[in-house]
């Protein structure tokens, strides 16, 4: 398998930078105009509603409030009271003041917020401009009946305020617009912003989750609007590497006077510095088109009836809005891609000449930047066609870069499940609404940490990852209960078998969720674990560990309808376990009510291999970043791990396992003597029986998980790398299983083998997780020592949860405790703590205890506990 290191992991904190975009927003606008002017653009009282509908339609997070006043005195009173407006818009007609006088009085109050003049008549405005100094206004626009102009005015201001931070933070792109004709830019800006918002809306639909969708909207391209040569040159010089392209007039001021060739000179300057920069020139004079072509610029005639359509078409093609259209040198279309996935697919089949054509012009990186994929675009931009030995090598590098980036993006987030984008090598997705629960949240957080740290392929020969999974969120649990009227019954019933039967036999399940589960099963045909993930599970102080059920499925029936029914049955059984007796008893010990608990279900691909009729990993276990009982030279903070052959159920349920500190893997006290080795060793292992179908209806546990002797593992071939042999003839333990004797699972060869640094991997993951969570943590993991497809050792991380580590005072002054106050004493103890709610102690006198009646004693103690 080729190691996917290009382009590498997205840097840590990159997504957080997106969340910091668009810090400055226009939230409140003061509109000062006569009643008639207000009526003209208020659309019969509908202006606010139209603006709000436009914002919602474009998925923008907020629409600004507009406060209207008709008198300058009222506006000045609001400002004098300290009312904070982000933008002030005034019209030429105010009942008690001239707009210039009003603007100057605003400045005299010390208000620095932008003031925009919104005029209605070009002749009246010409007189105002000719007779007065209008520099007190930040912008001047002409109303032409399009309410989108108000939105454009707001977005223009937000772009100016945010461009510096947003460009520096993640490289947000900008379009440079140079135009001094007020009527023209008053109609052009609304069209351009609408086109940008439509592009952003298209991209939002491709976001993997809600967070990514909002990030894409925040990272939309900005418009840097200016009216003279000097401002344009300043913008271009400062943001040159983040300019998508230039749309410019031909005739605009330079050095304070109109220059009929300013646009041509600016285009020549831009193309001289960046030959591939898209430039569109516009003019009322058709003869300019030939000169525009000479400097490498496109052209549109201002007098044309389709001028605005021409500019929008240029934005789509030159700025990368819309589909990526693969073309050859003669302009012939040979392919089309609408997103990253289809771009990767098209790159496999388009002619090499098309790849060269686009590669030489940086079209790939330009299209990616327009889609807010700045990091990937920056990785591809420095690469030149001449850097590759052949066009096929360039093709493969582009495909690898896209595939790796898409996987990294998916692995670093909990995405909404889409079959087209789900990657069975590591995607973590959700189905349905509501919470994904504590266990899934821990897996998702661990997935994000691994991706941000770039751990997946850091260790030679090994892959460290969170197996792909979909999480059916808690809203589906609520809908299932309500559809089948099970809630009241489940809360009142105390018979686990009856609860299980009622849930499994319930016929109604949300059909759109079933459809998504089918899509997942079509992608993942390997064994799966159906795991609980309740709201309270894996919380720091009430972990609920082992309270709810997990079911494992072979998922290998050729009939997908059979696999679906098995998956639904497992999901329903996990739902049922929310109401089992042990869950209800556990809940009583917490401050929560059972009816507050909700269950999500994680369906996760299992780590391991098929061994004969069984599926299991060669190693599974638990790692903890804090060791309560360290044996020197171990320290508590060094952590501890426990591993066993087969499924991790052996370790989780306290069965025999190999315990070691990841920082001291050679220090194995349980193997100090042969007697210790024999006493503490594993003789059986758990595995999923791949031959069993369905569930035993009378059992509430997973009956397909079987317990097998180590001799079965030897026959399977899975004991070769982890086993040792005890020779009774000379009472010695030898590594490997090549000689006769008792088989043991000691893992000593692997723990000491530097070629597979399991201790180092566990130590790194534990340190990474505990630092990120701010507390001690526990992980569950499984290891497939040689994946038969990739040849890599797979270290699958299955769970991350916080540990409860109370820092109680360690020393007890025994001399200060009167003998009559000591209930019992021992010279061998396992730590101390305080339990302050014990009222009764049930004690079985071992002198009178009849071992033959152990079951009766246990039942009697259970009845007493229940009281």
């Amino acid at each position: 398998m080729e190691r996917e290191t290009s382009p590498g992991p997205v840097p840590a904190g990159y997504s957080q930078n997106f969340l910091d975009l668009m810090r400055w927003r226009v939230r409140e606008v003061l509109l000062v105009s006569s009643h008639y002017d207000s009526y003209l653009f208020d659309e019969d009282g509908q202006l606010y509603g139209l603006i709000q509908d436009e914002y919602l339609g474009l998925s923008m997070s907020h629409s600004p409030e507009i406060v209207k006043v008709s008198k300058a005195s009222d506006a000045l009173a609001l400002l004098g009271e300290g009312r904070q407006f982000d933008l002030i818009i005034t019209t030429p007609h105010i009942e008690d003041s001239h707009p210039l006088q009003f603007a100057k009085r605003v400045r005299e109050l010390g208000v620095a917020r932008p003031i925009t003049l919104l005029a209605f008549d070009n002749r009246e405005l010409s007189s105002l401009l000719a007779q007065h100094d209008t520099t007190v206004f930040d912008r001047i626009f002409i109303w032409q009946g399009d309410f989108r102009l108000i939105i454009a005015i707001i977005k223009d201001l937000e772009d100016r305020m945010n461009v510096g931070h947003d460009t520096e933070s993640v490289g947000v792109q900008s379009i440079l617009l140079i135009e001094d004709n007020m009527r023209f830019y008053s109609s052009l800006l609304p069209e351009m912003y609408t086109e940008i918002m439509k592009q952003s809306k298209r991209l939002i639909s491709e976001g993997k989750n809600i967070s990514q969708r909002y990030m894409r909207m925040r990272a939309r391209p900005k418009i840097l609007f200016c009216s003279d040569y000097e401002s344009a040159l300043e913008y271009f010089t400062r943001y040159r590497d983040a300019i998508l392209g230039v749309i410019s007039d031909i005739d605009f001021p330079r050095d304070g006077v109109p220059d009929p060739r300013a646009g041509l000179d600016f285009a020549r300057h831009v193309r001289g510095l960046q030959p591939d920069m898209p430039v569109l020139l516009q003019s009322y004079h058709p003869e300019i088109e030939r000169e525009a072509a000479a400097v490498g610029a496109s052209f549109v005639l201002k007098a044309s009836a389709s001028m605005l359509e021409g500019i929008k078409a240029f934005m789509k093609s030159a700025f990368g809005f819309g589909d990526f259209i693969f073309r050859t040198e003669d302009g012939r279309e040979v392919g089309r891609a609408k997103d990253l996935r289809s771009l990767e697919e098209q790159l496999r089949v388009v002619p090499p000449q098309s790849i060269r054509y686009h590669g030489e012009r940086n079209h790939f990186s330009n299209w990616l930047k327009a889609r807010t994929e700045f990091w990937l675009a920056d990785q591809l931009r420095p690469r030149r066609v001449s850097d590759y030995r052949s066009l096929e090598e360039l093709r493969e590098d582009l495909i690898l870069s896209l595939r790796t980036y898409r996987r990294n993006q998916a692995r670093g987030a909990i995405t909404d499940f889409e079959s087209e984008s789900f990657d069975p090598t590591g995607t973590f997705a959700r189905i349905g609404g509501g919470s994904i629960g504590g266990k899934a949240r821990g897996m998702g957080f661990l997935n994000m940490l691994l991706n941000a740290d770039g751990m997946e392929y850091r260790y030679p020969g090994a892959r460290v990852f969170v197996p792909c999974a979909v999480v059916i969120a808690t809203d589906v649990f609520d809908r299932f209960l309500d559809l089948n009227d099970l809630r009241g019954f489940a809360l009142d019933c105390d018979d686990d078998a009856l609860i299980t039967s009622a849930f499994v036999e319930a016929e109604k399940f949300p059909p759109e969720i079933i459809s998504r589960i089918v899509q997942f099963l079509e992608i993942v045909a390997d064994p799966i674990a159906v795991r609980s993930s309740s709201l309270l599970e894996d919380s720091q102080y009430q972990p609920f560990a082992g309270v709810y059920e997990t079911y494992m499925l072979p998922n290998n029936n050729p009939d997908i309808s059979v696999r679906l029914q098995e998956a639904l049955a497992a999901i329903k059984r996990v739902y049922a376990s929310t109401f089992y007796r042990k869950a209800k008893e556990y809940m009583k010990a917490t401050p929560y009510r059972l009816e507050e608990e909700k269950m999500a279900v994680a369906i996760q691909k299992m780590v391991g291999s098929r061994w004969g009729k069984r599926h299991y990993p060669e190693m599974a276990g638990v790692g903890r970043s804090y060791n309560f009982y360290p044996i020197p030279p171990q320290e508590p903070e060094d952590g501890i791990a426990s591993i066993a052959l087969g499924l991790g159920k052996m370790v989780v349920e306290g069965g025999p396992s190999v315990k070691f500190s990841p920082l001291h893997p050679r220090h194995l006290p349980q193997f100090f003597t042969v007697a210790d080795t024999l006493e503490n060793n594993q003789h059986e292992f758990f595995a999923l029986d791949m031959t069993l179908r369905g569930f035993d209806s009378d059992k509430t546990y997973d009956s397909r998980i079987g317990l097998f002797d180590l001799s079965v593992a030897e026959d399977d071939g899975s004991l070769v790398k982890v086993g040792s042999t005890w020779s009774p003839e000379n009472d010695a333990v030898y590594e490997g299983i090549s000689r006769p004797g008792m088989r043991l699972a000691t893992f000593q060869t692997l723990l000491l083998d530097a070629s597979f640094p399991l201790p180092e991997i566990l130590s790194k993951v534990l340190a990474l997780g505990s630092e990120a969570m701010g507390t001690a943590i526990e992980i569950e993991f499984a290891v497939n020592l040689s994946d038969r497809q990739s040849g890599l050792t797979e270290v699958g991380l299955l769970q991350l949860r916080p540990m409860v580590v109370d820092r109680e005072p360690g020393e007890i002054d025994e001399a200060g405790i009167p003998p009559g106050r000591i209930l019992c004493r021992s010279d061998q103890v396992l730590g101390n703590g305080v339990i302050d709610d014990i009222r009764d102690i049930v004690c079985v006198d071992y002198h009178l205890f009849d071992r033959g009646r152990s079951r009766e004693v246990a039942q009697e103690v259970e009845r007493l506990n229940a009281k």
Side-chain angles (χ1 to χ4, degrees), residues 236 240-243 269-278 381:
F236 182 77
R240 171 180 160 185
D241 293 335
I243 299 290
H269 174 75
V270 167
R271 298 282 292 186
L273 293 174
Q274 288 191 215
D276 61 333
M277 175 71 72
R381 180 90 182 189

Side-chain angles (χ1 to χ4, degrees), residues 844-857:
V844 178
D845 189 339
Y846 72 93
H847 294 294
L848 305 175
F849 181 64
D850 182 352
R851 291 181 180 271
R853 305 182 66 183
S854 296
R855 292 184 180 275
E856 295 176 48
V857 173

Side-chain angles (χ1 to χ4, degrees), residues 17 30 63 181 216 323 343 352 376 478 517 527 694 703 842 860:
N17 291 342
L30 177 61
S63 60
N181 185 306
R216 286 174 181 267
D323 294 346
L343 181 67
L376 178 58
D478 283 332
I517 295 172
S703 57
V842 177
E860 189 171 344

